Amino acid sequence: MSRRMLLVLALTGAVGVGNIYFPQAISPLVVAGLGASPDSAGLVVTAIQVGYTAGIFLLVPLGDRLPYRPFLVTLLALTGAGLLAAGCAPALPPLLAAGAVVGVTTVAAQVIGPMAAGLVAPERRGEVVGTLLSGSIGGMLLARTFSGTLGEWLGWRAPYLVAALVVLFLATVLARVLPVTTPPSRQAYPSLLAEPLRLFRAEPDLRRSCFYQATVFGGFSAVWTCLALLLTGPAYGLGAHAVGMLALVGAATMVCTPFAGRLVDRRGPDQVNLVCILGVLLSAAVLAPGAWGGAPGLAALVVGTLLLDVAMQSGMVANHARVYALRPDARSRLNTAYMTCAYLGGSAGSWGGVRVYGRAGWHGVCALVAVLAALALVRHLVALYGGRNASRR
């Protein structure tokens, strides 16, 4: 795979992932503009994440059955149409429905990952996964900044409409530059849908990778969904653009994930996972003083979100490398099982985080992150040391 093709694929993943995250920065503007209750802010984010989870389950397995070029172009075209509908929504229910459609179809990054993993040698797989994830992180970060700033200037509809134009332009580009590929499977669609569940039952390493990412990503989603409520609330009194600007501190993650990928290639995914889970646990403590407000609180939020972003994304590199190595002929289906679990955790984190924030404030959200990270840590230690003790016996 050429560097130019890798760049195109990373950009496509960035745009696809960005569509999931840009509503986080403008959810308070959306509910205010549509006259909805503040509690509805979490629904704007949750709807697209639930749709994304459904898209991973229903559509990503087709990556093992359909040629990549027409499949990806069709997905992007449908995403563009969904974004246009969301930007023109007259009320909250149509917006939530359009957001769910966007979530279902904006799964390009999850289709590209298995494709790229099959086009490179095993010793480069971690590096390529890290580079693609770096692009996705860039999309996530820039999407929040873009939507928060544009939403403040032109209203909440503008980010949806501009994103639609970008996605439709990318669909045109991919129709020209993507290579022709041969699908690795001829299974019927019902069999493809059933396969991720069968793989989940059959592969212990897949199950534990799913658990790690579901818990960690649940905490990550809770933080970023509630961050908009914290920054625009009485403790800080900032605008929606502040969420996007804060997200820019995570730009360091774009450098860390390729490094994490090379480390996985050299040392294996287990050690990287352990460090990353500990990083998420530490981030919960660092984020807690963010409830204070003022300069000290903002400093805690900057350092804590940076640590959380780096740990979560680097852990995802390790998990992906472990999962892709299990069955080369079923990478899309393995990725379906893995990412479905991850985004179920993320959707639950967004939903639960808003409710915890309403009852226990920002400290409650930080406690939720700590509990989820502790669960992942216990599971990982059992896998590492329990397996070693069993082999000795």
Side-chain angles (χ1 to χ4, degrees), residues 26 29 145-156 158-160 162 241:
I26 60 169
L29 297 178
T145 305
F146 147 81
S147 64
T149 303
L150 195 61
E152 288 281 351
W153 289 349
L154 301 177
W156 69 266
Y160 284 99
V162 173
H241 68 282

Side-chain angles (χ1 to χ4, degrees), residues 133-274:
L133 188 55
S134 179
S136 297
I137 293 165
M140 178 179 66
L141 298 175
L142 293 176
R144 293 193 188 111
T145 305
F146 147 81
S147 64
T149 303
L150 195 61
E152 288 281 351
W153 289 349
L154 301 177
W156 69 266
R157 298 181 188 274
Y160 284 99
L161 298 176
V162 173
L165 295 178
V166 173
V167 168
L168 293 173
F169 173 74
L170 248 183
T172 304
V173 172
L174 289 184
R176 291 176 169 269
V177 304
L178 276 184
V180 176
T181 57
T182 301
S185 173
R186 294 184 178 275
Q187 285 184 267
Y189 181 61
S191 298
L192 288 174
L193 287 184
E195 188 76 0
L197 183 58
R198 190 193 69 77
L199 291 168
F200 184 83
R201 291 198 302 263
E203 300 287 351
D205 281 347
L206 174 60
R207 290 197 299 273
R208 68 185 180 100
S209 296
C210 289
F211 186 78
Y212 299 159
Q213 201 60 35
T215 51
V216 169
F217 191 53
F220 175 88
S221 296
V223 166
W224 279 103
T225 300
C226 297
L227 199 57
L229 302 176
L230 176 67
L231 292 178
T232 58
Y236 290 93
L238 301 174
H241 68 282
V243 182
M245 296 305 294
L246 181 60
L248 284 180
V249 303
T253 313
M254 297 176 65
V255 178
C256 293
T257 50
F259 172 76
R262 292 190 292 271
L263 193 60
V264 168
D265 288 336
R266 292 196 301 268
R267 308 292 293 273
D270 284 345
Q271 292 187 32
V272 176
N273 270 136
L274 179 59

